Amino acid sequence: MYEEKLEALQVIMDRKSVRDFIERDVEEEKRKKIYQAILAAPTTENMMMYSVISVNDPETRAKLSKQPAIRKAPMVLVFCADYRRWNIIFEGMTESGRNPQEGEYQLAVVDTVVAAQNAVLAAEALGLSSVYLGDIMEHYEDRAAALGCPVGVVPVVTLCIGYATEAQLNRPYTKRLGQRYLIHDERYQDFSREELLRMLQERGQYESLEQMQPWLEKFSKRCVEGKGALERVRSIRTALRAMDPQD
Ligand SMILES: Cc1cc2nc3c(=O)[nH]c(=O)nc-3n(C[C@H](O)[C@H](O)[C@H](O)COP(=O)(O)O)c2cc1C
């Protein structure tokens, strides 16, 4: 009872994203364990509103991302939010027959990422490494077509898994934002822009605010009006409209 499993914490703290892999396949036994870990994740109402597609075909992979990790990883899993399964099951059973909308999508996405993170930690525990690729959220129509996803099944994140190269294993950890800005006590604490800039600077990549400025200018443009950011918005709107054509 109340047994501490501190190795699990070690796995969490040891993990870092790995974007380059050696040429070694992921053993079948390890693949099975990763799948079991995915299915063991907590899930809304035990509905498991996700589907995971294992993609090996290089041509399909090339349609999902241009990032090198997807070519190099021996194991690529695409995690899709999946409300389709329950939509079919519920058919004809409700008075309104309402189509899935943002709320259903949100639940399914939460289920999906919770399950994906179980795969990340299982891989790490098995001596493997991984990286998420978020560009699967762009170009919904093309990516859904490449994966054969029908309406209601929306790719959310790609996970590339494999054995890390030595260089990647030795890569320093990515610095985090300070705990006091992220973990709040009882009530949300709002911070001024000045404090938030200080928070960024405290992360330690830049000596001064002036030094940080050029990076921040580029980064803000990328996040707000970059091609990827705008395409992601278009993509998800398209996916949601397909789920509820009357909307
Ligand atoms: C939803 C999500 C999408 C991500 N997309 C990408 C990506 O497209 N390419 C990439 O190289 N890393 C991607 N990452 C990895 C992050 O860049 C990485 O987790 C972050 O920089 C922190 O570094 P660490 O994981 O090594 O601690 C993604 C991570 C998440 C959670």
Side-chain angles (χ1 to χ4, degrees), residues 44-187:
T44 313
E45 303 255 22
N46 205 12
M47 287 168 84
M48 305 176 82
M49 290 173 274
Y50 55 83
S51 286
V52 182
I53 306 176
S54 166
V55 182
N56 276 316
D57 182 7
E59 277 182 33
T60 310
R61 286 187 181 190
K63 290 180 187 161
L64 304 182
S65 176
K66 289 193 173 69
Q67 299 186 58
I70 204 166
R71 267 187 283 114
K72 297 200 164 169
M75 185 173 185
V76 170
L77 302 177
V78 180
F79 287 79
C80 305
D82 186 347
Y83 203 82
R84 181 179 180 83
R85 205 179 286 127
W86 286 97
N87 203 33
I88 293 171
I89 294 169
F90 290 156
E91 200 182 318
M93 302 189 78
T94 56
E95 260 174 54
S96 67
R98 184 173 68 77
N99 290 319
Q101 293 168 306
E102 292 91 331
E104 283 75 22
Y105 178 70
Q106 185 169 355
L107 280 185
V109 168
V110 173
D111 264 20
T112 306
V113 293
V114 168
Q117 187 59 14
N118 261 26
V120 168
L121 295 177
E124 187 74 28
L126 293 164
L128 294 153
S129 298
S130 66
V131 66
Y132 283 115
L133 302 184
D135 47 6
I136 193 81
M137 289 180 256
E138 299 157 27
H139 306 288
Y140 160 71
E141 302 89 324
D142 299 343
R143 270 131 203 198
L147 294 165
C149 293
V151 169
V153 182
V154 183
V156 169
V157 79
T158 303
L159 188 63
C160 304
I161 302 174
Y163 288 95
T165 59
E166 193 72 22
Q168 288 279 298
L169 277 182
N170 295 327
R171 182 177 74 71
Y173 282 87
T174 309
K175 296 200 173 87
R176 292 307 203 241
L177 299 172
Q179 178 173 320
R180 69 191 182 90
Y181 297 101
L182 292 138
I183 316 257
H184 305 230
D185 205 14
E186 304 291 354
R187 286 176 65 80

Side-chain angles (χ1 to χ4, degrees), residues 7-8 10-12 14-18 21 24-27 29-38 73-77 79 115-132 159-164 169:
E7 321 82 73
Q10 202 54 53
V11 168
I12 291 170
D14 283 353
R15 184 216 61 84
K16 62 186 162 198
S17 293
V18 158
F21 306 96
R24 173 175 165 186
D25 204 0
V26 176
E27 297 81 348
E29 207 43 45
K30 292 195 178 184
R31 287 179 188 254
K32 276 191 199 149
K33 289 205 165 97
I34 292 170
Y35 294 149
Q36 284 164 358
I38 291 169
M75 185 173 185
V76 170
L77 302 177
F79 287 79
Q117 187 59 14
N118 261 26
V120 168
L121 295 177
E124 187 74 28
L126 293 164
L128 294 153
S129 298
S130 66
V131 66
Y132 283 115
L159 188 63
C160 304
I161 302 174
Y163 288 95
L169 277 182

